[in-house]
Amino acid sequence: MPTPPRIAIRRLATARVISMTGSEAGWIALMVAIYAATHSTVWMSAALFVSIGTSGLFTPLLGALGDRIDRRRVMIASELGAAGVAAVMAFTHHPLALIALAFMSAIAQSPYFSASTAAVPNLVPVQDVPWANSTLAIGRNAGALLGPMFGGAVAGLLSPSVVFGANAICFAGSAAMIWTVTGTFADPDRATSEEHEGLRAGFRFILADPVLRLITLAW
């Protein structure tokens, strides 16, 4: 039986809070761990470049998985993959190994937000789409606010490893929350649609729309 639309969105928003809190805390812990091991801002910059750059590179590529595979499965697999990487980071102390794991974590997380956002119009009626999008945005922003505070406090009082372990639990908890949501996560006819087929078609669509071009340039 499908989850009622508003309950489904609230659960997905809760999953975003949990996931984003852990993820942001993890990045702060990564900075603390890298600096403690190297006392080098160059190493810290490398870690940030790998984290942010990888996300920017792979999100357009792996975000397309939600158009070809069941989005609910993509979201759960993304969170569980990130949880596995975070768990390994909890037992890792070498800076190069931590940066390599951060790279893998960024790849694992890349499909999640694209799939969850794209699922909204299929989970709620048309009139509820603005409410659903704002609810998910609140969840993400709340996590972005709470995560750095939690990560900095725990990494300073205890250790970055504790934060990485907590991050793994957050990702797993997010996956469990998503698993409780049932319903239609995508248009059933999308497999036969050629309107936006392929990554190149997506870029053409953005370039052809002045509003989307402006938003993309602003980001």
Side-chain angles (χ1 to χ4, degrees), residues 5 9 12 71 113-130 132-133 136 184-188:
I9 294 301
L12 292 181
R71 286 174 183 150
F113 287 109
S114 298
S116 63
T117 302
V120 168
N122 303 110
L123 289 170
V124 299
V126 174
Q127 64 271 19
D128 283 344
V129 170
N133 284 330
L136 290 179
T184 303
F185 279 71
D187 184 352

Side-chain angles (χ1 to χ4, degrees), residues 18-19 21-23 25-26 78-91 105 150 160-176:
I18 296 170
S19 176
T21 298
S23 179
S78 175
E79 294 293 76
L80 291 179
V85 175
V88 175
M89 292 179 74
F91 299 96
S105 177
F150 172 79
S161 295
V162 175
V163 180
F164 296 142
N167 189 16
I169 294 173
C170 285
F171 282 132
S174 173

Side-chain angles (χ1 to χ4, degrees), residues 4-192:
R6 289 196 168 238
I7 294 177
I9 294 301
R10 289 190 181 101
R11 289 181 183 178
L12 292 181
T14 301
R16 277 203 181 185
V17 173
I18 296 170
S19 176
M20 199 69 182
T21 298
S23 179
E24 291 293 320
W27 296 134
I28 296 298
L30 177 64
M31 295 297 100
V32 173
I34 293 296
Y35 188 75
T38 65
H39 295 285
S40 169
T41 55
V42 174
W43 275 90
M44 294 177 69
S45 298
L48 280 173
F49 178 78
V50 166
S51 303
I52 299 173
T54 300
S55 179
L57 176 64
F58 281 91
T59 295
L61 300 173
L62 298 183
L65 288 175
D67 293 329
R68 292 166 174 78
I69 305 173
D70 179 73
R71 286 174 183 150
R72 181 170 175 263
R73 292 182 180 179
V74 169
M75 293 159 65
I76 293 173
S78 175
E79 294 293 76
L80 291 179
V85 175
V88 175
M89 292 179 74
F91 299 96
T92 304
H93 303 287
H94 193 281
L96 186 58
L98 284 172
I99 291 177
L101 288 168
F103 173 77
M104 295 171 61
S105 177
I107 293 177
Q109 295 176 61
S110 294
Y112 173 73
F113 287 109
S114 298
S116 63
T117 302
V120 168
N122 303 110
L123 289 170
V124 299
V126 174
Q127 64 271 19
D128 283 344
V129 170
W131 168 83
N133 284 330
S134 63
T135 300
L136 290 179
I138 289 171
R140 181 171 185 172
N141 292 338
L145 176 66
L146 296 172
M149 292 190 296
F150 172 79
V154 175
L157 294 173
L158 299 175
S159 74
S161 295
V162 175
V163 180
F164 296 142
N167 189 16
I169 294 173
C170 285
F171 282 132
S174 173
M177 182 63 69
I178 297 166
W179 181 79
T180 67
V181 179
T182 57
T184 303
F185 279 71
D187 184 352
D189 298 327
R190 65 178 176 169
T192 59

